Amino acid sequence: MPTATPSRGFAVRAWLRANTGPLIVVGLLALLPFAVALIDGQPLAEVLANQPGQAKFIQGLMIEVFILAIFALSYDLIFGITGLLSFGHAMFFAVGAYLSGIMIKSFGWSLAPTLGLLAVVAVVQALLFSVVLPRVQGVTFALVTLGIAEVFHIVIQSRELVGYTGADVGLQGVIPPAFLSPAAQRLRFYFVALGLAVLVYLLCRRFVDSPTGRVCIATRENENRALMLGYNTFYFKLTAMIISSLLASLAGFLHMLYQPIVSPGIASLSYTVNALLMVLVGGMGTLSGAPIGAAILRLLTFYFDKWFGQSSGFILGMVYVALVLFLPYGIVGTWKLRRFAWRSGWARLAQPLRPPSRDGERL
Amino acid sequence: METLRRNRTLLITLAILAFLLFTAIQGLSTRDWVITLLRGISVGAITFLVASGLSLIFGLLDVLNLAHGTLFMIGAYVGWTTYLRPDTLVDLLPPVLLLAAGLLLGPFWAALVGRWRTSRTVSRAWPWAALILAVALATLVFAQWPLARWDPAVAAQSPATYSLQLDQAIKAGQARAAPAPAAQGGLLRLAGAFLGSALLALGLAGFSAARYGGAGKVTGAPRRWALGALLLVTGVGIYTGDAALTRFLFGLDTAWLFLIALLVALVTGAALGALMEITLIRPLYTRPIYQLMLTLGLGVSGIELVQAIWGRTEFNMPKPALFQGSGAGCPATSIVDWLANGCSTIDVLGGRIRTYNELFVILIGVIVLVAVSVLLQRSRLGMIIRAGVQDSEMVEALGINVRQVFTLVFALGAALATLGGIIAAPSMGLSPLMGESLLLAALIALAIGGLTSFPGAAAGSLLVGLVQQFIIKYGQIGIRLPFLEQPFKPTPPLVPASTVLLMVIILLVLPQGLFGRKE
Amino acid sequence: MPDAILEVQEVHTFIGQFHILQGVSVSVPRGGIVVLLGRNGAGKTTTLKTILGLLPPRQGQVIFDGQSVQGRRSFDIAALGIGFVPEHRAIFRSLSVAENLKIAERARGDLDRKADFIFGLFPDLKRLYRLPGNHLSGGQQQMLAVARALVPDNRLLLIDEPSEGLAPIIIEQMMHAIRQLSAESTVLLVEQNFVVASQLAESYVIIEEGRSVQAGLMADLVVDRETIQRYLGAA
C-alpha cells in the first residue's frame, strides 16, 4: 500500500513522543557508567577496559537493580495486573538461579541448552502453582503458594543435596562464560542486563495492552463479571502465571550469572516480600512502577546499610510504613493522580479522633 | 445421618489422620509415644496461641496480620525483661503511662479545635508546629531519662549474663540483690513527657480538623477523664516509689515474678494491638493489600527494634524455681508431688516428662482454648464477633459500634500472641527471629483449620505440632518402609516440609480447610 | 411535609468511583408505609444504605426526626431508632435464632419486652428458637430478619425486598406482618413485586437511574398505566 510507509513513520514518531520519559531514562542509564567516571575523574578508557573504580561499582549496583526490576515486573504481572496474591514468587526466581547454576556447574551445559531447559521448567512450575487455582483463592492461594515455595526453600538447604546446591551456604563456583563475566566484562554485563530489563518491560506492556492482558485486568477488577462475559478466567490467570514464571526465572538466571554465591535466601518468603514491596512502592499494576520500586528498594537498602549500620532495618521498615500512609497509590500511582497526600497521611493517623464524614472512608 | 453426609469429606479426612496417628504410634514403645504425643500437644499449644489470635483477627477484620510472629517475639522479650530485670519495668512505666494519659486528650482537642475558627493558612500551619514541638520535647525528655540500661555489646551487661545470674541464683535457692536504682530526676521530666504527648495529640487533632472539620461532642467524656487521671496518678506514684517497688519485686519468688511477667506480656500485647489497629490498620480497611504490607513492615521493624535493644544473640530464660528442682523427691511421681517439691520432671510410664514444657504449656493452651471458647459462645461480645465474622456491616446497622469491637479483637489477638511468646520463652529460648518460624507454623495451622474458624485453629495447631514431633522422633529412630533395607530417617529439614505438605494435601481435598465454611 | 419522620434531600452517593445516586429525595411521613419503586439497579438499596450511613452521601443530607445525621457513623444513626432488614435475608447463619434476636438488643431486656409482639407476628420463630440460623428455610430466615429489626424500639423500619424469592403463601404472611407492624412504626419499603407494593403502601417514590423521578399516593399510581409502563416495565 502506498500509504503504509508514511503511516508507519508517523506511528513510530507517535510512539517516540508518547514514550519520551522512559526513553530518556534508558538513555541516561546507558550513559550512567561514563557519567560516574567523569565525575570521579577516571579516564573513560579505563571504564571501557573494566578497570576497578567508582564507575564499576555503580555498574554492579545498577545490574542488581535491573535484575530486581525484571523480578518486580514479573510479580506485577500476576499481582498487580491479574490480582493473584502469590507468596511463592521467590521460588520462580530461585529455580531460575539454582537450576541454571547446577546445569552449568555440575553438568557442564552451555548457556543455550540451559536456557531452553529453564524455559520448560518455568512453564512446569507455573502449572504446578496453577493446579490449585480453580480450588483455592485469595489468602488461601497465598498460603498454598507459600507452602510450595517453602518446601523448595527447605529442599535446596538440605544436606542431602549439598553436592549440587551447597545447602545452607549457597550455590557457588559457577563459572559464567568469559564473554559475560561479571568481573572482567562488567560493562557488557551492564548493557545486557539493561537491555533485557527494557525488553521485559516492553514485553509486559505489550501483554497488558493485548486482549489477553485486558481480560486479566478485568479478572482482577471483578472475576464474576469476567466469568459472566464468557471468559474462562482460569486460562487467563494461567497465561499470566506462565509469563511471570518465565520472566522471574530469567531474572534468577541473571542473578546466578552475576552473583558469586547464590544464597538459599532468594527462595524464602522475605524475597517474595521484596518483590511485593517493590511493586507496592512503585505502584501496583502500573508496570513502570515496578522498576522504579526496584531501584528505590535496592538503593535505599544499600545506602541505609552504609549510613545507619545496625539500625538500618528498623529505619527501612518505618520508611515502608510511612510510604503506605503517605503514598497510598505508590510512586507512579500518586504521580498519575497528581495528588500528594501528606496532609491526609497525618489525618489518617488522627482518624480515630473523629468519625469519618462524607467520603472519609475513601481517603 | 444428614450431618454425616454433609461432612463426609471432613470425616474421611479425620479418619485418615487418626489412622496415620495410629500407625505412627505402632512403631514406638509406649514410653516413646506418650512423650512424643505430649511434646506434639505442647508445640501445638504454643502454635495455637499465635494461630487463635490470627484467626480471630482474620475472621472479623479480614486482616492477615503478618506482624503476629513479631508480637509473639515481643511478648517473649518483654516478659523476659519483667522476669529478669523488673527494675527496668519500674523505670519505664511512668513515662509510658504519662504518654498514654496525654494521648487520651486527643478527642477533647478535636472538639476544641472544631470551635476555633482561623484562617486557612494558620489552620494548616499550626498542626505542624505542634507536631514538631512535641517531637522536640519528647526527644529532650527521653534522651536523658534515667533508665537502668543494659548493653548487649558489653558482656557483663548483656541479657545472656543476666539469664545466667538468675539461673545460678535459682539453683542455689537465693534471692537476687536489687540493683541500685537509677538516678531520680525531678518531676519536671514527667511533666515534659505528659506535655509532649498532649502536644502530639493536639497536632494530630489539628490535621484531622484540617481534613474533616472539627469534631462535635466527645463520647464517653467522664470515662476518659477518669482513665486519664488514673494513668497520671499511677505514673507519678510509681515514679516516686521506684526504689521500694524495685526492692519488692526482686524479693519475690520466681513463680510470682513469672506470673507478673505473664500479665505484663498480656497487657503489652493488648496495648500494642489496640494501638496498631487504631492508628495504622483502621485507616486502610478499604485497601487490604496495603494492610498486608503494613503488617509486614511493622513485623520487620519490630524485629529490628528488638535487635537494637536486646542484641542479636540468642539467650535463655531460666524457668521459675517451681519447674527447676532436681533435689530430694525428684523426679516427682505425681502432680501433687511435683507441686510440693518443685521438680523439673515427672515420671510417667517409665519416661520423664518435663513439668514446664509438657505440663504447664499444655495447661495454658487448654485454659486459653476454654476461656476464648466461652467468650465466643456465651458472652454478648462473642455473639457480636461471631456475627461480625459473617457480616460486619449488618452488625453496624443494628446499632453496634463494630469498630470498637474490631479494636478489642485485635487487642485480644495480639495479647494471645504475646502470651504465647512469654510461655514459649523458657522452653524455646529467645531470639529475634523466634517469631518467624512460629508465624509460618500458625499460618499453616490456620489454613488447615479453615482460616476463620476458631476450633479449626485449635485443630490445625494440634496437627502441626503432632506431625512435627512425630517426624522428629522418627528422625531419631527411623521408619521401616517396605522395599527399603535400611530404616528411612527423615532429616531435620523435613520437619517443616512435612507440615507444609500436610497443608497442601488438606487444602486440595478441602479447599475451605477442616472446619471452614463455604459462604 | 410538616410531620416527616425522614427527609432525604438530594443525596449523591458514590460506591468506589461510581456515581450511584445522582440526586434522590424521599420524604417519609410519620406512620404508614412508603415504598421505593424502580427497576433493578436503579439505586433503591443504595438509598436505604445511604439513609443508614453505610454509604455516606457526598452531597445532600438525611434528616431523621428533625435531626441531621450528617457525619454520624452507622451504628450511631441506627441507634436513633432505625431498623434495617437487608435484602437476601441477611441473618447471621452461624448464630441461633435466639442469638439473632438478642444481638439486636439496644438495652438489656429489649427482647423480653417485645417477645410477645414478635412471636405474635411470627409464631414459627418461637418453635425454632434454639435452632442455628442456617437450618431455617428461606421464608423463616426472612421472618427472622424482620423480627430482628423489631427487637429494639425503632421508629423507622427500612425493609429491602421482603417478598424476594418467597412462596406466595409466605408472601401473604409477610404482608400481613408488615401491615401489623406498621401500626407501631413507620416503614420505608423497597419492593420489586408491584402487586405486593400496591397492596401494602400508601405512597410511593420512583427511582430511575439514581434519581427520584416521581412521588405520590399509591392510589393514584395504581390507575396511572402510563407511569407504571414507563418506569416499572410491564406490571
Side-chain angles (χ1 to χ4, degrees):
Chain A
M1 260 190 284
T3 52
T5 322
S7 82
R8 174 172 295 171
F10 178 75
V12 168
R13 234 173 298 140
W15 187 84
L16 285 177
R17 206 173 307 134
N19 292 288
T20 324
L23 282 172
I24 290 176
V25 172
V26 172
L28 286 178
L29 284 174
L31 292 175
L32 180 72
F34 309 105
V36 172
L38 280 180
I39 294 167
D40 217 34
Q42 201 182 10
L44 287 185
E46 277 193 14
V47 177
L48 289 172
N50 288 300
Q51 298 289 326
Q54 184 71 11
K56 188 168 184 180
F57 176 75
I58 294 288
Q59 283 170 42
L61 200 58
M62 290 311 291
I63 289 172
E64 287 179 36
V65 170
F66 298 148
I67 294 172
L68 284 176
I70 298 177
F71 183 47
L73 275 168
S74 74
Y75 196 61
D76 202 17
L77 221 49
I78 52 168
F79 168 66
I81 303 292
T82 319
L84 295 172
L85 182 61
S86 159
F87 276 172
H89 201 65
M91 179 178 156
F92 290 174
F93 187 79
V95 163
Y98 270 91
L99 183 73
S100 53
I102 290 170
M103 279 323 194
I104 293 172
K105 180 186 155 199
S106 304
F107 297 93
W109 286 27
S110 59
L111 281 194
T114 306
L115 277 172
L117 178 71
L118 194 55
V120 174
V121 172
V123 173
V124 170
Q125 66 178 340
L127 289 173
L128 176 72
F129 269 53
S130 307
V131 163
V132 295
L133 260 180
R135 299 215 53 148
V136 297
Q137 253 134 39
V139 172
T140 318
F141 177 69
L143 291 178
V144 171
T145 49
L146 169 67
I148 300 174
E150 204 56 36
V151 169
F152 179 75
H153 181 43
I154 290 160
V155 166
I156 57 172
Q157 287 190 79
S158 69
R159 302 297 314 169
E160 281 74 10
L161 295 173
V162 69
Y164 296 109
T165 62
D168 44 359
V169 179
L171 181 63
Q172 49 188 331
V174 182
I175 298 159
F179 69 94
L180 212 59
S181 154
Q185 297 289 347
R186 174 74 56 92
L187 193 63
R188 186 180 286 163
F189 202 107
Y190 177 86
F191 282 111
V192 167
L194 173 61
L196 280 174
V198 172
L199 205 68
V200 166
Y201 174 75
L202 291 176
L203 194 82
C204 290
R205 245 296 73 93
R206 183 76 195 79
F207 175 76
V208 170
D209 291 338
S210 74
T212 312
R214 295 274 161 229
V215 179
C216 285
I217 293 174
T219 308
R220 175 194 70 194
E221 290 298 323
N222 189 338
E223 176 151 14
N224 282 333
R225 190 163 294 165
L227 279 169
M228 270 187 284
L229 286 172
Y231 294 111
N232 188 340
T233 53
F234 171 70
Y235 290 112
F236 291 91
K237 289 182 191 168
L238 183 62
T239 312
M241 205 65 157
I242 289 174
I243 296 177
S244 173
S245 166
L246 283 168
L247 297 181
S249 302
L250 175 70
F253 171 74
L254 286 175
H255 179 86
M256 178 277 300
L257 281 185
Y258 179 70
Q259 299 288 359
I261 299 179
V262 177
S263 120
I266 61 166
S268 67
L269 173 63
S270 59
Y271 217 71
T272 303
V273 168
N274 263 346
L276 181 72
L277 287 178
M278 290 187 273
V279 169
L280 286 177
V281 166
M284 63 185 276
T286 56
L287 285 190
S288 50
I292 294 175
I296 288 179
L297 212 76
R298 182 67 195 104
L299 298 179
L300 270 190
T301 317
F302 177 76
Y303 284 106
F304 276 20
D305 272 345
K306 203 165 144 187
W307 295 332
F308 304 114
Q310 288 256 315
S311 50
S312 66
F314 176 68
I315 296 173
L316 209 57
M318 285 292 124
V319 169
Y320 295 148
V321 172
L323 276 173
V324 171
L325 281 172
F326 295 109
L327 287 181
Y329 299 93
I331 290 169
V332 174
T334 309
W335 176 258
K336 279 187 176 162
L337 287 171
R338 308 265 169 182
R339 199 183 71 188
F340 291 89
W342 292 110
R343 201 175 315 279
S344 57
W346 288 109
R348 246 178 252 275
L349 277 175
Q351 210 188 25
L353 293 183
R354 56 160 293 109
S357 59
R358 307 224 161 229
D359 50 338
E361 289 287 345
R362 303 187 354 98
L363 242 165
Chain B
M1 238 9 244
E2 176 58 31
T3 340
L4 275 182
R5 201 170 325 121
R6 201 176 308 155
N7 296 324
R8 191 174 42 198
T9 335
L10 174 64
L11 287 173
I12 293 173
T13 317
L14 287 179
I16 291 173
L17 289 173
F19 174 75
L20 281 180
L21 182 66
F22 182 71
T23 35
I25 286 170
Q26 277 303 301
L28 297 172
S29 64
T30 320
R31 197 186 72 186
D32 274 355
W33 75 252
V34 168
I35 289 177
T36 314
L37 199 67
L38 280 175
R39 284 195 185 154
I41 298 174
S42 166
V43 172
I46 288 176
T47 314
F48 167 69
L49 288 178
V50 179
S52 59
L54 260 180
S55 110
L56 280 175
I57 293 173
F58 184 71
L60 185 65
L61 286 73
D62 258 336
V63 178
L64 195 61
N65 181 18
L66 294 178
H68 226 66
T70 302
L71 284 169
F72 170 83
M73 185 257 313
I74 287 176
Y77 275 85
V78 169
W80 179 91
T81 309
T82 314
Y83 185 57
L84 277 103
R85 296 295 305 267
D87 55 323
T88 308
L89 177 77
V90 174
D91 284 348
L92 266 179
L93 267 179
V96 169
L97 292 176
L98 286 163
L99 270 176
L103 286 174
L104 271 180
L105 287 174
F108 297 106
W109 289 133
L112 214 64
V113 168
R115 276 177 220 147
W116 187 33
R117 300 258 166 268
T118 50
S119 75
R120 209 173 149 75
T121 333
V122 175
S123 75
R124 287 199 163 186
W126 71 260
W128 284 107
L131 204 71
I132 292 167
L133 209 61
V135 171
L137 203 59
T139 324
L140 205 70
V141 169
F142 287 108
Q144 42 175 319
W145 196 271
L147 195 60
R149 280 172 191 278
W150 59 61
D151 188 354
V154 180
Q157 292 179 23
S158 72
T161 310
Y162 296 133
S163 292
L164 198 68
Q165 282 169 357
L166 179 63
D167 202 34
Q168 282 165 351
I170 290 174
K171 291 227 166 88
Q174 300 160 341
R176 286 172 301 164
Q184 293 285 308
L187 283 174
L188 206 60
R189 285 209 186 89
L190 286 183
F194 179 66
L195 206 65
S197 64
L199 266 174
L200 179 68
L202 177 65
L204 289 178
F207 280 113
S208 162
R211 184 76 176 73
Y212 309 111
K217 66 180 197 340
V218 183
T219 46
R223 244 187 315 161
R224 266 176 193 283
W225 286 120
L227 185 60
L230 183 72
L231 289 176
L232 260 178
V233 170
T234 322
V236 175
I238 292 177
Y239 192 75
T240 44
D242 188 316
L245 197 59
T246 306
R247 264 199 309 282
F248 168 73
L249 285 174
F250 268 92
L252 275 180
D253 184 61
T254 40
W256 286 111
L257 214 49
F258 188 68
L259 200 67
I260 295 175
L262 284 192
L263 288 178
V264 171
L266 267 174
V267 172
T268 312
L272 278 179
L275 196 70
M276 218 171 126
E277 201 276 338
I278 291 175
T279 57
L280 296 171
I281 306 284
R282 186 179 288 180
L284 292 169
Y285 276 118
T286 47
R287 312 181 64 78
I289 292 295
Y290 284 81
Q291 280 178 333
L292 210 65
M293 175 181 164
L294 197 75
T295 58
L296 266 172
L298 285 176
V300 174
S301 304
I303 292 175
E304 298 289 339
L305 192 66
V306 164
Q307 283 182 345
I309 300 176
W310 283 277
R312 277 161 201 265
T313 43
E314 300 178 17
F315 48 86
N316 291 319
M317 175 164 168
K319 288 168 190 160
L322 186 60
F323 304 97
Q324 280 253 20
S326 55
C330 290
T333 46
S334 70
I335 303 239
V336 183
D337 203 16
W338 157 55
L339 285 174
N341 295 320
C343 294
S344 62
T345 53
I346 293 186
D347 271 333
V348 174
L349 297 166
R352 283 188 184 171
I353 293 170
R354 287 166 293 178
T355 45
Y356 185 88
N357 294 29
E358 274 101 47
L359 280 184
F360 182 70
V361 172
I362 294 177
L363 180 73
I364 294 282
V366 170
I367 289 175
V368 168
L369 175 65
V370 171
V372 178
S373 304
V374 168
L375 174 83
L376 280 177
Q377 295 300 328
R378 296 270 174 269
S379 73
R380 180 168 168 82
L381 178 66
M383 200 159 76
I384 293 171
I385 293 173
R386 277 182 296 142
V389 167
Q390 192 196 322
D391 185 351
S392 56
E393 192 180 62
M394 190 55 224
V395 176
E396 174 112 14
L398 289 175
I400 294 163
N401 189 350
V402 174
R403 294 243 189 107
Q404 214 171 346
V405 179
F406 280 13
T407 310
L408 265 174
V409 166
F410 209 99
L412 174 69
L416 287 179
T418 47
L419 175 70
I422 178 65
I423 294 291
S427 59
M428 276 174 67
L430 291 96
S431 87
L433 295 176
M434 65 191 285
E436 295 306 280
S437 55
L438 222 89
L439 177 67
L440 193 66
L443 283 175
I444 291 170
L446 219 60
I448 290 176
L451 292 168
T452 59
S453 153
F454 185 75
S461 307
L462 194 62
L463 264 178
V464 166
L466 284 175
V467 168
Q468 273 185 17
Q469 290 304 311
F470 271 99
I471 297 277
I472 289 175
K473 187 72 204 168
Y474 277 106
Q476 291 159 1
I477 62 170
I479 309 173
R480 216 166 276 289
L481 288 177
F483 311 117
L484 283 181
E485 292 286 307
Q486 292 289 320
F488 170 68
K489 287 189 176 176
T491 48
L494 273 173
V495 175
S498 59
T499 55
V500 166
L501 220 61
L502 180 74
M503 170 185 84
V504 173
I505 292 170
I506 286 186
L507 283 182
L508 283 180
V509 181
L510 294 165
Q512 310 289 326
L514 290 179
F515 291 81
R517 250 196 223 98
K518 263 202 187 94
E519 274 300 333
Chain C
M1 245 170 273
D3 193 31
I5 189 163
L6 178 78
E7 282 278 3
V8 179
Q9 298 172 344
E10 276 294 311
V11 292
H12 289 247
T13 305
F14 284 72
I15 298 180
Q17 56 194 351
F18 302 108
H19 196 165
I20 304 291
L21 296 191
Q22 310 175 3
V24 168
S25 299
V26 178
S27 178
V28 181
R30 205 176 292 275
I33 304 177
V34 177
V35 67
L36 294 180
L37 298 169
R39 291 199 175 88
N40 265 335
K44 303 181 299 278
T45 299
T46 310
T47 305
L48 295 191
K49 290 194 169 179
T50 302
I51 294 168
L52 260 184
L54 292 172
L55 296 167
R58 280 220 195 146
Q59 270 178 49
Q61 57 175 348
V62 176
I63 295 170
F64 178 68
D65 215 4
Q67 192 181 359
S68 170
V69 300
Q70 162 89 49
R72 284 184 182 234
R73 297 250 310 276
S74 294
F75 76 92
D76 217 11
I77 298 174
L80 293 173
I82 303 181
F84 181 43
V85 181
E87 59 186 337
H88 310 312
R89 322 171 192 116
I91 61 160
F92 303 116
R93 287 181 230 300
S94 50
L95 271 57
S96 71
V97 171
E99 286 174 323
N100 262 292
L101 294 174
K102 249 181 227 146
I103 196 172
E105 284 188 338
R106 259 175 229 141
R108 208 173 269 277
D110 270 352
L111 181 57
D112 294 338
R113 210 156 36 79
K114 300 290 278 290
D116 288 343
F117 174 64
I118 291 171
F119 294 139
L121 283 179
F122 307 111
D124 275 9
L125 293 183
K126 189 164 193 172
R127 187 167 52 79
L128 305 166
Y129 199 60
R130 296 274 158 226
L131 238 54
N134 55 2
H135 285 202
L136 268 53
S137 72
Q140 290 163 341
Q141 290 188 12
Q142 186 65 62
M143 289 174 193
L144 180 55
V146 175
R148 190 175 56 186
L150 298 178
V151 172
D153 289 315
N154 284 322
R155 285 171 291 167
L156 175 67
L157 293 177
L158 310 176
I159 306 182
D160 200 352
E161 304 259 6
S163 75
E164 185 199 17
L166 297 185
I169 183 148
I170 312 280
I171 295 181
E172 205 60 49
Q173 230 178 319
M174 189 60 71
M175 283 168 65
H176 176 69
I178 291 176
R179 232 176 256 128
Q180 279 201 316
L181 63 90
S182 73
E184 301 234 332
S185 55
T186 315
V187 175
L188 178 59
L189 196 67
V190 166
E191 184 54 73
Q192 286 274 358
N193 186 334
F194 187 70
V195 181
V196 173
S198 60
Q199 286 179 31
L200 276 177
E202 288 118 39
S203 52
Y204 70 91
V205 177
I206 295 179
I207 296 180
E208 172 83 0
E209 291 183 352
R211 291 191 182 80
S212 45
V213 288
Q214 193 171 337
L217 290 178
M218 190 49 96
D220 300 334
L221 182 66
V222 177
V223 294
D224 187 356
R225 286 269 153 222
E226 193 199 330
T227 307
I228 295 175
Q229 194 69 39
R230 174 139 57 111
Y231 292 119
L232 311 173

